[in-house]
Amino acid sequence: MATAFDPNERRASLAASNGGIPYWEILSNEIPGYELEMTTDRRPTVCQILHSLSVGGAEVLAREFAMAANHEFRTVFLCLDEIGPIGDKLRHDCFTVECFGRTPGLDRQLIRRVQIFCQQHRVNLIHAHQYTPFVYASLSRLRGGISGWLGNPP
């Protein structure tokens, strides 16, 4: 039977093993300008891409999946427009939640930023909710080397 995953315990043990220095500070000194998420976590990483994590159907679905599958998958969240209250709660629960502040029209820089985010967090699968996140996930995958993706347009 799998034991419950406690992200706070994991972060504390990582900091303790490095003499109290958080792993992201050590890494940022070693690789200037590039922050790669260093983790001993061997679970596959799922990136959920949404407009925001405000209260709504897709947003609740994304949160519920992350919570229910936490023992089997590591989930990171990428919001195109805003974080929202569900995102704030997920951050409090030690999930990675980023907001990219999409500009109107096709934000070409956002395509590359999604790709970099997925590389930094070692994403194995992108789960895009709604049409716009689906487009950005598709375009970022063209150059990103991400092995899988799942789109859920409405």
Side-chain angles (χ1 to χ4, degrees):
M1 180 171 189
T3 59
F5 174 73
D6 183 358
N8 290 325
E9 185 177 304
R10 184 177 120 233
R11 288 179 180 174
S13 68
L14 284 171
S17 68
N18 293 317
I21 302 170
Y23 68 93
W24 57 87
E25 287 182 16
I26 293 170
L27 184 64
S28 63
N29 292 333
E30 292 175 5
I31 307 172
Y34 190 77
E35 292 182 33
L36 179 65
E37 170 121 342
M38 291 296 287
T39 180
T40 57
D41 193 341
R42 298 203 184 269
R43 297 174 295 163
T45 301
V46 176
C47 176
Q48 303 238 20
I49 304 179
L50 305 100
H51 286 284
S52 73
L53 282 163
S54 299
V55 179
E59 296 80 1
V60 171
L61 172 72
R63 180 196 64 207
E64 292 301 314
F65 170 79
M67 299 299 228
N70 199 25
H71 65 284
E72 194 172 343
F73 296 97
R74 183 175 157 268
T75 304
V76 297
F77 296 88
L78 193 158
C79 300
L80 300 179
D81 302 320
E82 65 176 323
I83 291 180
I86 292 175
D88 291 334
K89 175 74 170 99
L90 286 165
R91 276 185 168 174
H92 182 265
D93 292 339
C94 296
F95 284 93
T96 298
V97 180
E98 296 290 330
C99 178
F100 282 0
R102 178 174 56 111
T103 60
L106 180 63
D107 186 345
R108 293 179 188 273
Q109 291 180 339
L110 183 57
I111 296 166
R112 179 71 178 134
R113 292 173 65 202
V114 169
Q115 181 185 29
I116 291 169
F117 177 85
C118 290
Q119 289 170 348
Q120 288 173 338
H121 293 281
R122 298 185 173 155
V123 170
N124 303 102
L125 175 76
I126 297 175
H127 184 178
H129 300 263
Q130 301 115 353
Y131 289 115
T132 303
F134 178 83
V135 169
Y136 284 103
S138 300
L139 293 173
S140 68
R141 257 192 91 240
L142 293 176
R143 298 174 51 205
I146 296 162
S147 58
W149 69 296
L150 172 66
N152 275 356

